[in-house]
Every structure is written in C-alpha cells, then in structure tokens.
Amino acid sequence: MASDNLTAVLYDVNDIRLEQRPVPEPADDEVLLEMSCVGICGSDIHYWVHGRCADFILKAPMVMGHEASGTVAKIGKKVKHLKPGDRVAVEPGVPCRYCAHCKQGRYNLCADIIFCATPPCHGNLARYYTHAADFCFKIPDQVTLEEAALLEPLSVGVHACRRAGVTLGSNVLITGAGPIGLVTLLTAKSFGAGKVVITDVIDHRLGVAKQLGADYTVRIDPKASEKQTAAEIIDLLGDRPDITIDCTGFEGTIRLAIEATASGGVVTIVGMGSNEVTVPLCAAAAREIDIRGVFRYANDYPTALAMVTSGKVDVKKIITHHFTIEDTVKAFETAKSGVGNPIKIMIHCDNSGNAKK
Ligand code: NAD
Ligand code: ZN
C-alpha cells in the first residue's frame, strides 16, 4: 500500500496547507478510496476566505473537499457490493441512519449527518480517504471520474427539481447561472421541462447556459425593478413560469421569483444568502404560491448517475479548469478571483499526472 497521502488541509482563513497524513484503514462498513477528482464548491471558498459558511464555523484544521470520486483500494470486512478497482462517486454526507428523518428517507435533514468539509468533519481532498461503503456509488465504464465528482452538484439540481415538482412541460425560471443554476437547468430539461429561462448578471455564464440547453437567457439589469424583469421573463415565455428555482440566495432574486411565478405555482429556494430577507410573502400566499426549501439531496445520487450514464445529460461541460492537488491553492485563487471565467474547477488527486491543465 502506498504511503503518499498528500492532503489539503484548511488551517485558518487564507491558510490551506498540503501535508502528509497517514493512509487511513477502512472500518468494517467502509472502503478506502484512492481519490481521483474533487471539485471546488462555493462553500469551500467561503471557509477559505471567511472561515465560515452560514452557521458552520471553522474551529480546527479541516481537510477540504466534498465533490469527489475515487477508486476502491481496499474494502472493510462487511462490504459486499464493492471490490478493489471499482470506480465510485462519493456521496459526501453520511447520516446517523437512526433518527426519524433518516428513517423517513429525508436523511439530508439528519442533525447528526457527517458531511465532508463541513466543520468539524474532514473532507476528501487527499490521495487516500475512507468513506461509508453504502454512500459510494459504483460508476459504469462510460462514466468518467470527473463526471462522477460532478454527481454531487448534479444531485443538488435533481433534489431541487424534485422538490419543485418539475415535470413534463413545466415552464421553469432559474435565477442564477452558477454551477448550481446550470446543473438545475440540465436536470429540469432532462425531467422534461417545457421552456427554461435562466437569469444571471454575467454574460459568459448565460452563454454557457445557452449551450447547455436554456431556451432563454436574461441578463439582469440591476437598475430594473423586479416587476420589470418579471414582465420581460413572462413576455419571453408567453406566460408566467409554473416553477421558479432560485440558485443565488439574494433577496432581489427571491423577490423576482415570487413576482414572476404563476398563481398556484412553486418557488424553490436553493440559494443560501442572508438568514432574513424581505419578500412579498402575503402576496405569495394570496396567490397560493408554495415556497419550498432545498438542503443538499437525499436519495438523488442514483438518479444523477442514471442521467449521466444514459448520456442524456452532459454535465462535464460545466468544468472550466483543472489543477493537481499540489496546486490546490492556485485552484482556490482561481475560483476566488474569477479570472478566466471559472465555473467548475476540478482538482485531480491521483499522482498519475493525468490532470489536464
Ligand atoms: P455562484 O455564486 O457561482 O452562482 C450564483 C450566480 O448568481 C452567479 O453566477 C452570479 O453571477 C449570479 N447572480 C448574482 N446576482 C444575480 C441576480 N441579481 N440575478 C441573477 N443572477 C445573479 O454559486 P453556486 O455554486 O452556483 O451556488 C448557488 C447558490 O446555491 C449559493 O447561494 C450556494 O450557497 C447555494 N447552494 C445551496 C445548496 C443547498 O443545498 N441548498 C447546495 C449548493 C449550493
Ligand atoms: Zn439521522
């Protein structure tokens, strides 16, 4: 067994260190993974820049990374469905399995979930990492390890579309064309949505959205009122959207969502912004608009994997940059600066030298 376990550890704000850690041993129900790809998520940048993300605060050094894939190197005694050499997507949150939420299948709401790179839990941006075997999904030959890592954000899109009730013919407005808005767009289209409109303030991202199948893109004019922007969207669609999925978390876009959505429709909030926002709640209630939250995903990995396996969804188009684990700090700096229009940045952990720069 190799002894090189280079690991990316966040010690403090602006302080990521690459250090050697022992190669861990899998417990009976775990697998040891030789990590392959780990994508950078907005929350990783939050911890690096601010030392916190929402109510989670970095109090001790934490291994980064949660959008990951790898190859099974060793299995625990009780593991039956995986063997060394299997390539897997890693679902990063392992719940308690015993509480009411877990038993009801809404394990994303489990208070005791251990979620990679959410303090105080370590992530998997390392050469080797152990994970609960039942939260590792074997990928077929035609799915790449890059795509497997992207099942993490894609599962957020799947969960959002399920929560929103996107189905054949739904007209959907998505606010925000970041990685999450884009995977939500891909999912909505693959769930059979009719027309999808997506908004952003960055032309490049809207261009990518168009390539990924958005029917209409709207560049938000910060000076326009929500009513004006809603009117523009309704004009494009020929009707109000049945469903709006907010993928920014900003007050303005949530207000726009309520303004634009059809009476009896659904506004789903994926974006995580301020805890308190001012929105026309009574107006939404009077039009029977359901407002629903989204927190990560539960039982959505298999669907995300099926979408990619079938070739129906080309999620890898959101990858714009590649780095090796040795260049983790450069990767984070690129994500923060926005130079070169990064959307999804992929870090390659294997030292086989196959990271494409
Ligand atoms: P991101 O910051 O890359 O994307 C947000 C996009 O919104 C950017 O492209 C930005 O230009 C755009 N934007 C800014 N102002 C806008 C406006 N007024 N109108 C339209 N677009 C606007 O982030 P991301 O990684 O795509 O994540 C999106 C949001 O989803 C974040 O708030 C993130 O915290 C949240 N998130 C939530 C979950 C969950 O489980 N609920 C999971 C992952 C991410
Ligand atoms: Zn639980």
Side-chain angles (χ1 to χ4, degrees):
M1 176 58 62
S3 59
D4 170 13
N5 190 21
L6 195 67
T7 302
V9 187
L10 179 66
Y11 272 79
D12 207 339
V13 168
N14 211 13
D15 183 9
I16 292 180
R17 301 182 204 168
L18 273 296
E19 64 184 29
Q20 285 292 343
R21 294 205 160 188
V23 175
E25 268 298 306
D28 288 356
D29 58 354
E30 287 183 339
V31 288
L32 173 69
L33 298 173
E34 182 176 3
M35 298 306 295
S36 176
C37 299
V38 180
I40 299 183
C41 159
S43 65
D44 297 320
I45 301 300
H46 262 274
Y47 290 120
W48 180 55
V49 173
H50 305 290
R52 64 180 299 160
C53 188
D55 290 339
F56 295 102
I57 299 166
L58 181 79
K59 292 184 179 151
M62 175 180 81
V63 179
M64 299 304 286
H66 66 272
E67 299 183 357
S69 65
T71 303
V72 176
K74 195 172 176 184
I75 60 170
K77 275 191 232 130
K78 291 187 190 158
V79 177
K80 299 271 187 285
H81 74 293
L82 292 172
K83 59 179 186 318
D86 284 347
R87 302 176 316 135
V88 297
V90 182
E91 180 172 346
V94 180
C96 82
R97 300 175 172 92
Y98 293 101
C99 72
H101 297 303
C102 282
K103 285 183 169 170
Q104 287 158 7
R106 298 183 74 179
Y107 61 82
N108 55 323
L109 305 178
C110 173
D112 295 323
I113 196 165
I114 294 169
F115 198 95
C116 290
T118 297
C121 308
H122 290 305
N124 43 27
L125 185 44
R127 295 227 206 271
Y128 288 94
Y129 164 77
T130 50
H131 198 70
D134 58 331
F135 281 80
C136 292
F137 294 84
K138 184 176 170 174
I139 58 169
D141 291 347
Q142 71 265 39
V143 175
T144 66
L145 284 156
E146 286 173 10
E147 289 170 320
L150 290 171
L151 294 191
E152 201 281 341
L154 186 57
S155 294
V156 176
V158 171
H159 195 62
C161 287
R162 283 184 165 153
R163 291 276 296 151
V166 175
T167 187
L168 290 177
S170 309
N171 284 334
V172 182
L173 165 63
I174 297 170
T175 52
I180 295 299
L182 294 173
V183 292
T184 302
L185 159 68
L186 286 169
T187 308
K189 275 291 176 185
S190 86
F191 279 21
K195 300 272 182 244
V196 179
V197 189
I198 190 162
T199 68
D200 206 289
V201 291
I202 302 173
D203 284 328
H204 171 259
R205 292 193 161 191
L206 292 173
V208 174
K210 200 81 198 165
Q211 284 172 26
L212 293 180
D215 296 281
Y216 305 105
T217 58
V218 173
R219 191 183 194 288
I220 296 292
D221 173 0
K223 287 189 229 95
S225 70
E226 288 118 23
K227 270 198 181 353
Q228 286 168 322
T229 310
E232 188 184 342
I233 289 162
I234 294 162
D235 191 43
L236 282 171
L237 279 176
D239 209 342
R240 288 175 181 274
D242 308 301
I243 289 166
T244 300
I245 304 179
D246 176 63
C247 298
T248 79
F250 294 123
E251 183 168 294
T253 58
I254 300 171
R255 292 175 61 88
L256 168 66
I258 291 172
E259 184 66 49
T261 303
S263 296
V266 177
V267 168
T268 301
I269 298 170
V270 185
M272 289 178 167
S274 309
N275 261 347
E276 295 195 19
V277 292
T278 303
V279 296
L281 191 61
C282 292
R287 294 204 292 119
E288 291 199 1
I289 292 174
D290 289 354
I291 300 177
R292 298 179 190 161
V294 164
F295 189 57
R296 298 172 177 155
Y297 33 74
N299 297 308
D300 298 302
Y301 257 67
T303 305
L305 177 55
M307 283 159 55
V308 173
T309 304
S310 68
K312 199 165 176 194
V313 165
D314 190 1
V315 71
K316 62 184 178 300
K317 281 197 179 135
I318 71 168
I319 304 177
T320 51
H321 292 70
H322 296 271
F323 291 89
T324 59
I325 188 171
E326 288 87 344
D327 282 338
T328 293
V329 174
K330 265 194 214 161
F332 273 68
E333 276 164 359
T334 303
K336 186 172 84 170
S337 73
V339 173
N341 289 320
I343 295 181
K344 181 55 68 186
I345 295 177
M346 201 53 84
I347 299 180
H348 296 257
C349 301
D350 41 0
N351 53 9
S352 55
N354 64 1
K356 286 166 252 140
K357 287 276 165 75

mmCIF file of all heavy atoms in Angstrom, residues 41-42 156 175-181 199-202 205 220 247-250 252-253 269-273 294-297, ligand 1:
data_model
loop_
_atom_site.group_PDB
_atom_site.id
_atom_site.type_symbol
_atom_site.label_atom_id
_atom_site.label_comp_id
_atom_site.label_asym_id
_atom_site.label_seq_id
_atom_site.Cartn_x
_atom_site.Cartn_y
_atom_site.Cartn_z
ATOM 1 N N CYS A 41 -16.314 23.868 -4.538
ATOM 2 C CA CYS A 41 -17.672 24.384 -4.397
ATOM 3 C C CYS A 41 -17.589 25.760 -3.745
ATOM 4 O O CYS A 41 -16.594 26.076 -3.073
ATOM 5 C CB CYS A 41 -18.452 23.399 -3.529
ATOM 6 S SG CYS A 41 -19.919 24.041 -2.737
ATOM 7 N N GLY A 42 -18.636 26.550 -3.912
ATOM 8 C CA GLY A 42 -18.669 27.880 -3.298
ATOM 9 C C GLY A 42 -18.437 27.821 -1.799
ATOM 10 O O GLY A 42 -17.787 28.708 -1.222
ATOM 11 N N VAL A 156 -27.763 18.102 -6.282
ATOM 12 C CA VAL A 156 -28.466 19.289 -5.763
ATOM 13 C C VAL A 156 -29.529 19.717 -6.784
ATOM 14 O O VAL A 156 -30.672 20.019 -6.429
ATOM 15 C CB VAL A 156 -27.486 20.459 -5.481
ATOM 16 C CG1 VAL A 156 -28.258 21.709 -5.036
ATOM 17 C CG2 VAL A 156 -26.454 20.066 -4.428
ATOM 18 N N THR A 175 -33.070 31.336 -11.406
ATOM 19 C CA THR A 175 -32.312 32.571 -11.184
ATOM 20 C C THR A 175 -30.904 32.186 -10.737
ATOM 21 O O THR A 175 -30.723 31.492 -9.745
ATOM 22 C CB THR A 175 -33.002 33.482 -10.148
ATOM 23 O OG1 THR A 175 -33.273 32.729 -8.987
ATOM 24 C CG2 THR A 175 -34.297 34.045 -10.687
ATOM 25 N N GLY A 176 -29.908 32.641 -11.516
ATOM 26 C CA GLY A 176 -28.509 32.338 -11.223
ATOM 27 C C GLY A 176 -27.992 31.233 -12.129
ATOM 28 O O GLY A 176 -28.563 30.137 -12.158
ATOM 29 N N ALA A 177 -26.926 31.534 -12.875
ATOM 30 C CA ALA A 177 -26.336 30.541 -13.788
ATOM 31 C C ALA A 177 -24.936 30.163 -13.331
ATOM 32 O O ALA A 177 -24.027 29.988 -14.131
ATOM 33 C CB ALA A 177 -26.327 31.080 -15.217
ATOM 34 N N GLY A 178 -24.761 30.031 -12.008
ATOM 35 C CA GLY A 178 -23.529 29.459 -11.465
ATOM 36 C C GLY A 178 -23.611 27.946 -11.626
ATOM 37 O O GLY A 178 -24.557 27.423 -12.235
ATOM 38 N N PRO A 179 -22.658 27.213 -11.067
ATOM 39 C CA PRO A 179 -22.699 25.751 -11.194
ATOM 40 C C PRO A 179 -24.047 25.162 -10.775
ATOM 41 O O PRO A 179 -24.566 24.257 -11.445
ATOM 42 C CB PRO A 179 -21.587 25.276 -10.244
ATOM 43 C CG PRO A 179 -20.665 26.444 -10.111
ATOM 44 C CD PRO A 179 -21.482 27.687 -10.323
ATOM 45 N N ILE A 180 -24.621 25.678 -9.704
ATOM 46 C CA ILE A 180 -25.884 25.098 -9.207
ATOM 47 C C ILE A 180 -27.045 25.449 -10.137
ATOM 48 O O ILE A 180 -27.878 24.592 -10.466
ATOM 49 C CB ILE A 180 -26.143 25.553 -7.749
ATOM 50 C CG1 ILE A 180 -25.067 24.977 -6.812
ATOM 51 C CG2 ILE A 180 -27.541 25.157 -7.282
ATOM 52 C CD1 ILE A 180 -25.002 23.453 -6.746
ATOM 53 N N GLY A 181 -27.099 26.689 -10.605
ATOM 54 C CA GLY A 181 -28.142 27.057 -11.571
ATOM 55 C C GLY A 181 -28.013 26.217 -12.836
ATOM 56 O O GLY A 181 -29.017 25.752 -13.400
ATOM 57 N N THR A 199 -31.495 33.317 -15.522
ATOM 58 C CA THR A 199 -31.008 34.701 -15.401
ATOM 59 C C THR A 199 -29.633 34.712 -14.746
ATOM 60 O O THR A 199 -29.270 33.800 -14.002
ATOM 61 C CB THR A 199 -31.948 35.545 -14.515
ATOM 62 O OG1 THR A 199 -31.859 35.068 -13.167
ATOM 63 C CG2 THR A 199 -33.386 35.486 -14.982
ATOM 64 N N ASP A 200 -28.880 35.740 -15.031
ATOM 65 C CA ASP A 200 -27.626 35.984 -14.320
ATOM 66 C C ASP A 200 -27.234 37.429 -14.601
ATOM 67 O O ASP A 200 -27.924 38.146 -15.333
ATOM 68 C CB ASP A 200 -26.512 35.003 -14.751
ATOM 69 C CG ASP A 200 -25.463 34.790 -13.654
ATOM 70 O OD1 ASP A 200 -24.679 35.735 -13.385
ATOM 71 O OD2 ASP A 200 -25.442 33.716 -13.032
ATOM 72 N N VAL A 201 -26.129 37.844 -13.984
ATOM 73 C CA VAL A 201 -25.604 39.181 -14.261
ATOM 74 C C VAL A 201 -24.328 39.074 -15.094
ATOM 75 O O VAL A 201 -23.732 40.084 -15.447
ATOM 76 C CB VAL A 201 -25.332 39.972 -12.947
ATOM 77 C CG1 VAL A 201 -26.645 40.332 -12.262
ATOM 78 C CG2 VAL A 201 -24.442 39.171 -11.999
ATOM 79 N N ILE A 202 -23.885 37.821 -15.363
ATOM 80 C CA ILE A 202 -22.625 37.616 -16.092
ATOM 81 C C ILE A 202 -22.934 36.981 -17.452
ATOM 82 O O ILE A 202 -23.494 35.877 -17.520
ATOM 83 C CB ILE A 202 -21.658 36.704 -15.279
ATOM 84 C CG1 ILE A 202 -21.376 37.321 -13.916
ATOM 85 C CG2 ILE A 202 -20.356 36.473 -16.045
ATOM 86 C CD1 ILE A 202 -20.563 36.414 -12.984
ATOM 87 N N ARG A 205 -21.635 33.341 -18.254
ATOM 88 C CA ARG A 205 -22.408 32.243 -17.657
ATOM 89 C C ARG A 205 -23.709 32.012 -18.422
ATOM 90 O O ARG A 205 -24.153 30.880 -18.597
ATOM 91 C CB ARG A 205 -22.669 32.532 -16.183
ATOM 92 C CG ARG A 205 -21.354 32.469 -15.413
ATOM 93 C CD ARG A 205 -21.505 32.431 -13.919
ATOM 94 N NE ARG A 205 -20.257 31.915 -13.361
ATOM 95 C CZ ARG A 205 -20.088 31.557 -12.113
ATOM 96 N NH1 ARG A 205 -21.087 31.642 -11.252
ATOM 97 N NH2 ARG A 205 -18.940 31.092 -11.697
ATOM 98 N N ILE A 220 -29.700 40.180 -16.033
ATOM 99 C CA ILE A 220 -30.402 41.038 -15.083
ATOM 100 C C ILE A 220 -29.798 42.440 -15.112
ATOM 101 O O ILE A 220 -28.592 42.618 -14.998
ATOM 102 C CB ILE A 220 -30.303 40.457 -13.650
ATOM 103 C CG1 ILE A 220 -31.006 39.097 -13.573
ATOM 104 C CG2 ILE A 220 -30.862 41.424 -12.619
ATOM 105 C CD1 ILE A 220 -32.505 39.122 -13.735
ATOM 106 N N CYS A 247 -31.319 30.060 -7.506
ATOM 107 C CA CYS A 247 -29.977 29.498 -7.299
ATOM 108 C C CYS A 247 -28.963 30.603 -7.048
ATOM 109 O O CYS A 247 -27.806 30.513 -7.482
ATOM 110 C CB CYS A 247 -29.575 28.648 -8.506
ATOM 111 S SG CYS A 247 -30.658 27.233 -8.768
ATOM 112 N N THR A 248 -29.392 31.663 -6.348
ATOM 113 C CA THR A 248 -28.441 32.712 -5.957
ATOM 114 C C THR A 248 -28.523 33.003 -4.449
ATOM 115 O O THR A 248 -27.511 33.332 -3.846
ATOM 116 C CB THR A 248 -28.674 34.051 -6.697
ATOM 117 O OG1 THR A 248 -29.758 34.724 -6.095
ATOM 118 C CG2 THR A 248 -28.940 33.863 -8.167
ATOM 119 N N GLY A 249 -29.712 32.973 -3.893
ATOM 120 C CA GLY A 249 -29.880 33.280 -2.467
ATOM 121 C C GLY A 249 -30.014 34.761 -2.168
ATOM 122 O O GLY A 249 -30.099 35.163 -1.011
ATOM 123 N N PHE A 250 -30.071 35.580 -3.230
ATOM 124 C CA PHE A 250 -30.183 37.026 -2.991
ATOM 125 C C PHE A 250 -31.641 37.439 -2.814
ATOM 126 O O PHE A 250 -32.539 36.874 -3.440
ATOM 127 C CB PHE A 250 -29.578 37.824 -4.158
ATOM 128 C CG PHE A 250 -28.099 37.643 -4.296
ATOM 129 C CD1 PHE A 250 -27.552 37.181 -5.482
ATOM 130 C CD2 PHE A 250 -27.244 37.927 -3.240
ATOM 131 C CE1 PHE A 250 -26.187 37.007 -5.620
ATOM 132 C CE2 PHE A 250 -25.875 37.756 -3.366
ATOM 133 C CZ PHE A 250 -25.344 37.292 -4.554
ATOM 134 N N GLY A 252 -33.117 40.052 -3.928
ATOM 135 C CA GLY A 252 -33.703 40.535 -5.188
ATOM 136 C C GLY A 252 -34.213 39.401 -6.061
ATOM 137 O O GLY A 252 -35.278 39.514 -6.685
ATOM 138 N N THR A 253 -33.453 38.296 -6.099
ATOM 139 C CA THR A 253 -33.883 37.198 -6.989
ATOM 140 C C THR A 253 -35.046 36.414 -6.360
ATOM 141 O O THR A 253 -35.897 35.911 -7.079
ATOM 142 C CB THR A 253 -32.728 36.238 -7.339
ATOM 143 O OG1 THR A 253 -32.183 35.706 -6.150
ATOM 144 C CG2 THR A 253 -31.643 36.933 -8.144
ATOM 145 N N ILE A 269 -36.228 27.470 -3.160
ATOM 146 C CA ILE A 269 -35.039 28.272 -2.842
ATOM 147 C C ILE A 269 -33.858 27.349 -2.548
ATOM 148 O O ILE A 269 -33.829 26.645 -1.532
ATOM 149 C CB ILE A 269 -35.337 29.214 -1.664
ATOM 150 C CG1 ILE A 269 -36.457 30.170 -2.096
ATOM 151 C CG2 ILE A 269 -34.084 30.009 -1.271
ATOM 152 C CD1 ILE A 269 -37.022 31.000 -1.008
ATOM 153 N N VAL A 270 -32.913 27.359 -3.475
ATOM 154 C CA VAL A 270 -31.681 26.589 -3.319
ATOM 155 C C VAL A 270 -30.579 27.510 -2.789
ATOM 156 O O VAL A 270 -29.766 27.125 -1.956
ATOM 157 C CB VAL A 270 -31.229 25.967 -4.665
ATOM 158 C CG1 VAL A 270 -30.013 25.080 -4.461
ATOM 159 C CG2 VAL A 270 -32.367 25.185 -5.310
ATOM 160 N N GLY A 271 -30.559 28.733 -3.296
ATOM 161 C CA GLY A 271 -29.528 29.703 -2.917
ATOM 162 C C GLY A 271 -29.535 29.947 -1.417
ATOM 163 O O GLY A 271 -30.598 29.934 -0.786
ATOM 164 N N MET A 272 -28.351 30.120 -0.867
ATOM 165 C CA MET A 272 -28.249 30.368 0.569
ATOM 166 C C MET A 272 -27.631 31.739 0.769
ATOM 167 O O MET A 272 -26.430 31.917 0.615
ATOM 168 C CB MET A 272 -27.393 29.299 1.219
ATOM 169 C CG MET A 272 -28.095 27.968 1.248
ATOM 170 S SD MET A 272 -27.023 26.736 1.968
ATOM 171 C CE MET A 272 -28.182 25.417 2.245
ATOM 172 N N GLY A 273 -28.470 32.698 1.094
ATOM 173 C CA GLY A 273 -27.974 34.054 1.321
ATOM 174 C C GLY A 273 -28.136 34.418 2.772
ATOM 175 O O GLY A 273 -27.894 33.594 3.661
ATOM 176 N N VAL A 294 -34.567 23.851 -0.108
ATOM 177 C CA VAL A 294 -33.766 22.717 -0.579
ATOM 178 C C VAL A 294 -32.510 22.648 0.266
ATOM 179 O O VAL A 294 -31.824 23.662 0.448
ATOM 180 C CB VAL A 294 -33.373 22.892 -2.064
ATOM 181 C CG1 VAL A 294 -32.248 21.954 -2.452
ATOM 182 C CG2 VAL A 294 -34.581 22.670 -2.965
ATOM 183 N N PHE A 295 -32.232 21.480 0.815
ATOM 184 C CA PHE A 295 -30.966 21.304 1.532
ATOM 185 C C PHE A 295 -30.253 20.074 0.993
ATOM 186 O O PHE A 295 -30.692 18.944 1.217
ATOM 187 C CB PHE A 295 -31.206 21.183 3.041
ATOM 188 C CG PHE A 295 -29.921 21.217 3.831
ATOM 189 C CD1 PHE A 295 -29.055 22.301 3.723
ATOM 190 C CD2 PHE A 295 -29.572 20.179 4.665
ATOM 191 C CE1 PHE A 295 -27.864 22.348 4.437
ATOM 192 C CE2 PHE A 295 -28.386 20.209 5.388
ATOM 193 C CZ PHE A 295 -27.526 21.289 5.274
ATOM 194 N N ARG A 296 -29.235 20.326 0.229
ATOM 195 C CA ARG A 296 -28.423 19.262 -0.379
ATOM 196 C C ARG A 296 -29.312 18.295 -1.164
ATOM 197 O O ARG A 296 -30.014 18.695 -2.065
ATOM 198 C CB ARG A 296 -27.603 18.543 0.690
ATOM 199 C CG ARG A 296 -26.616 19.513 1.378
ATOM 200 C CD ARG A 296 -25.947 18.847 2.563
ATOM 201 N NE ARG A 296 -24.962 19.690 3.213
ATOM 202 C CZ ARG A 296 -24.606 19.570 4.471
ATOM 203 N NH1 ARG A 296 -25.151 18.655 5.251
ATOM 204 N NH2 ARG A 296 -23.691 20.365 4.980
ATOM 205 N N TYR A 297 -29.352 17.021 -0.730
ATOM 206 C CA TYR A 297 -30.031 15.972 -1.514
ATOM 207 C C TYR A 297 -30.217 14.756 -0.630
ATOM 208 O O TYR A 297 -29.548 14.596 0.394
ATOM 209 C CB TYR A 297 -29.193 15.581 -2.748
ATOM 210 C CG TYR A 297 -27.720 15.692 -2.459
ATOM 211 C CD1 TYR A 297 -27.073 14.758 -1.661
ATOM 212 C CD2 TYR A 297 -26.993 16.800 -2.887
ATOM 213 C CE1 TYR A 297 -25.746 14.904 -1.321
ATOM 214 C CE2 TYR A 297 -25.661 16.950 -2.541
ATOM 215 C CZ TYR A 297 -25.047 15.997 -1.758
ATOM 216 O OH TYR A 297 -23.745 16.153 -1.396
HETATM 217 P P1 NAD B 1 -22.365 31.011 -7.661
HETATM 218 O O1 NAD B 1 -22.067 32.179 -6.780
HETATM 219 O O2 NAD B 1 -21.318 30.501 -8.580
HETATM 220 O O3 NAD B 1 -23.644 31.334 -8.556
HETATM 221 C C1 NAD B 1 -24.545 32.336 -8.284
HETATM 222 C C2 NAD B 1 -24.836 33.046 -9.592
HETATM 223 O O4 NAD B 1 -25.812 34.052 -9.372
HETATM 224 C C3 NAD B 1 -23.590 33.739 -10.148
HETATM 225 O O5 NAD B 1 -23.361 33.320 -11.488
HETATM 226 C C4 NAD B 1 -23.966 35.212 -10.083
HETATM 227 O O6 NAD B 1 -23.416 35.977 -11.150
HETATM 228 C C5 NAD B 1 -25.475 35.141 -10.174
HETATM 229 N N1 NAD B 1 -26.173 36.350 -9.728
HETATM 230 C C6 NAD B 1 -25.759 37.301 -8.878
HETATM 231 N N2 NAD B 1 -26.718 38.257 -8.759
HETATM 232 C C7 NAD B 1 -27.744 37.868 -9.544
HETATM 233 C C8 NAD B 1 -29.012 38.424 -9.841
HETATM 234 N N3 NAD B 1 -29.429 39.563 -9.291
HETATM 235 N N4 NAD B 1 -29.810 37.764 -10.689
HETATM 236 C C9 NAD B 1 -29.411 36.607 -11.250
HETATM 237 N N5 NAD B 1 -28.227 36.023 -11.004
HETATM 238 C C10 NAD B 1 -27.407 36.648 -10.161
HETATM 239 O O7 NAD B 1 -22.853 29.860 -6.704
HETATM 240 P P2 NAD B 1 -23.312 28.339 -6.979
HETATM 241 O O8 NAD B 1 -22.200 27.443 -6.601
HETATM 242 O O9 NAD B 1 -23.928 28.212 -8.321
HETATM 243 O O10 NAD B 1 -24.420 28.202 -5.845
HETATM 244 C C11 NAD B 1 -25.595 28.967 -5.939
HETATM 245 C C12 NAD B 1 -26.239 29.139 -4.580
HETATM 246 O O11 NAD B 1 -26.699 27.872 -4.139
HETATM 247 C C13 NAD B 1 -25.320 29.657 -3.485
HETATM 248 O O12 NAD B 1 -26.052 30.545 -2.669
HETATM 249 C C14 NAD B 1 -24.959 28.414 -2.710
HETATM 250 O O13 NAD B 1 -24.653 28.700 -1.369
HETATM 251 C C15 NAD B 1 -26.253 27.650 -2.808
HETATM 252 N N6 NAD B 1 -26.161 26.195 -2.622
HETATM 253 C C16 NAD B 1 -27.169 25.635 -1.924
HETATM 254 C C17 NAD B 1 -27.209 24.289 -1.746
HETATM 255 C C18 NAD B 1 -28.323 23.699 -0.981
HETATM 256 O O14 NAD B 1 -28.234 22.559 -0.574
HETATM 257 N N7 NAD B 1 -29.413 24.421 -0.772
HETATM 258 C C19 NAD B 1 -26.197 23.469 -2.268
HETATM 259 C C20 NAD B 1 -25.172 24.058 -3.018
HETATM 260 C C21 NAD B 1 -25.177 25.436 -3.196
#
